[in-house]
Amino acid sequence: MSLKCDSEWLYRAIRHANTRLYTVTETLDPVLVNGSPYAEHAIDLATPEDDATHCDEMCTAPIHNYARFLSWSQSVEEVACAFEAALDANSEKQESETCMVFDSEYHINETSTIHWGTAGGAMIIDLYTPTYGLGCRTGSYLLYGWVGTLSWILLVISTFLCHYSITTTHSYKTAHIARQLSIALRSIGQVFSFCNAIWIVLSCVFQFSNFYDRCWCNSSVIGLGAKAYNVIEITWDEVPFMRAWWIIGVAIAAGSASIYVFFINLSINPRLPQEIDIDSAAR
């Protein structure tokens, strides 16, 4: 899933696909695209330079997948439509047909699951550890969760605006406004994400250096206000209740992380077509 190997795999898969692409000529005869006059119809990866609109989309690191889930889905639709048009032409149906279907469902909830699952589990543990209520520790996790979600929303909106700016049939002015707004929202979202990453690291440092171990934080003043109090010693009567919520918090965090790892493993190291062909030939 690293930037280097992901990029190499992608370009290798494209080169392999181009060696096996066929096109239908005017005589309805399939012709191998590679080395033919129809080579311009092969699959290619556009790499625009100095384009602020697509800079994140061109980065192959998985963290930038938010910027290309629309364009990638559309590309899949276009390739599928090309195969469908070739089948129609081979069946002597209408020879030229415009096919631009874009009706895919996007599943982008895994990130929010791991984000709020881990932060929520930590919040539950701190909320139900005496003194009960919203304190410094819980507040830091809550702030991390909300800022991360805000950053994610801004980045996703910027992706939709970017896609709109390059596919819209409206005026140039409308597309230009959408493009500039997309760049602005993406920049703001990345700044929030950067600051949020620094904040969660600082929060962990504060946690392990006992910075939060002070009267104001231990009294949950943020949540209780004027009714804040400080627990000097936890009684045995409170231990079962506290332990139950600790188990729930750990279960939520571990469960969400396990679900995320499961979905990631479904996408790691997909097999190339030639590898499948070699296995089939060996059998």
Side-chain angles (χ1 to χ4, degrees), residues 3-236:
L3 185 148
K4 180 179 178 181
C5 67
D6 201 44
S7 175
E8 290 179 351
W9 185 94
L10 181 61
Y11 282 97
R12 190 167 68 250
I14 292 296
R15 288 194 299 269
H16 175 78
N18 283 333
T19 61
R20 300 193 175 193
L21 283 178
Y22 287 81
T23 186
V24 178
T25 63
E26 296 178 356
T27 60
L28 302 183
D29 296 323
V31 176
L32 190 65
V33 172
N34 190 29
S36 72
Y38 305 94
E40 66 271 14
H41 297 292
I43 300 176
D44 192 18
L45 291 177
T47 55
E49 297 181 357
D50 298 329
D51 187 356
T53 308
H54 301 281
C55 60
D56 276 10
E57 186 177 347
M58 300 310 300
C59 295
T60 57
I63 196 173
H64 296 289
N65 284 345
Y66 78 91
R68 49 180 167 261
F69 74 96
L70 288 173
S71 57
W72 277 13
S73 299
Q74 185 181 22
S75 299
V76 171
E77 294 285 356
E78 291 178 358
V79 172
C81 287
F83 277 102
E84 183 179 356
L87 290 174
D88 290 344
N90 197 37
S91 303
E92 297 184 357
K93 293 184 179 180
Q94 185 176 357
E95 200 163 323
S96 69
E97 180 179 358
T98 301
C99 186
M100 287 293 291
V101 180
F102 189 62
D103 188 22
S104 300
E105 294 182 2
Y106 307 106
H107 303 281
I108 52 178
N109 293 323
E110 289 83 2
T111 302
S112 58
T113 299
I114 184 66
H115 183 71
W116 277 109
T118 52
M123 288 172 56
I124 288 176
I125 293 175
D126 282 328
L127 275 173
Y128 293 100
T129 299
T131 305
Y132 305 123
L134 182 63
C136 296
R137 300 172 181 84
T138 311
S140 64
Y141 300 139
L142 182 62
L143 180 62
Y144 167 75
W146 279 114
V147 173
T149 302
L150 177 60
S151 172
W152 174 75
I153 291 174
L154 292 176
L155 293 175
V156 172
I157 292 176
S158 72
T159 301
F160 277 96
L161 289 173
C162 176
H163 185 76
Y164 172 81
S165 68
I166 61 178
T167 58
T168 182
T169 57
H170 294 80
S171 64
Y172 169 80
K173 183 178 180 180
T174 303
H176 179 72
I177 293 175
R179 178 178 180 274
Q180 296 301 320
L181 187 58
S182 170
I183 296 174
L185 291 179
R186 185 184 66 218
S187 300
I188 296 173
Q190 289 176 341
V191 170
F192 281 163
S193 180
F194 177 77
C195 294
N196 208 33
I198 294 178
W199 169 247
I200 194 61
V201 173
L202 286 177
S203 180
C204 293
V205 172
F206 293 158
Q207 177 81 15
F208 291 107
S209 63
N210 291 329
F211 178 83
Y212 289 144
D213 191 14
R214 55 188 62 202
C215 182
W216 195 86
C217 290
N218 292 334
S219 302
S220 298
V221 177
I222 299 176
L224 298 179
K227 298 180 180 180
Y229 61 95
N230 194 356
V231 175
I232 304 299
E233 184 176 354
I234 299 176
T235 64
W236 285 105

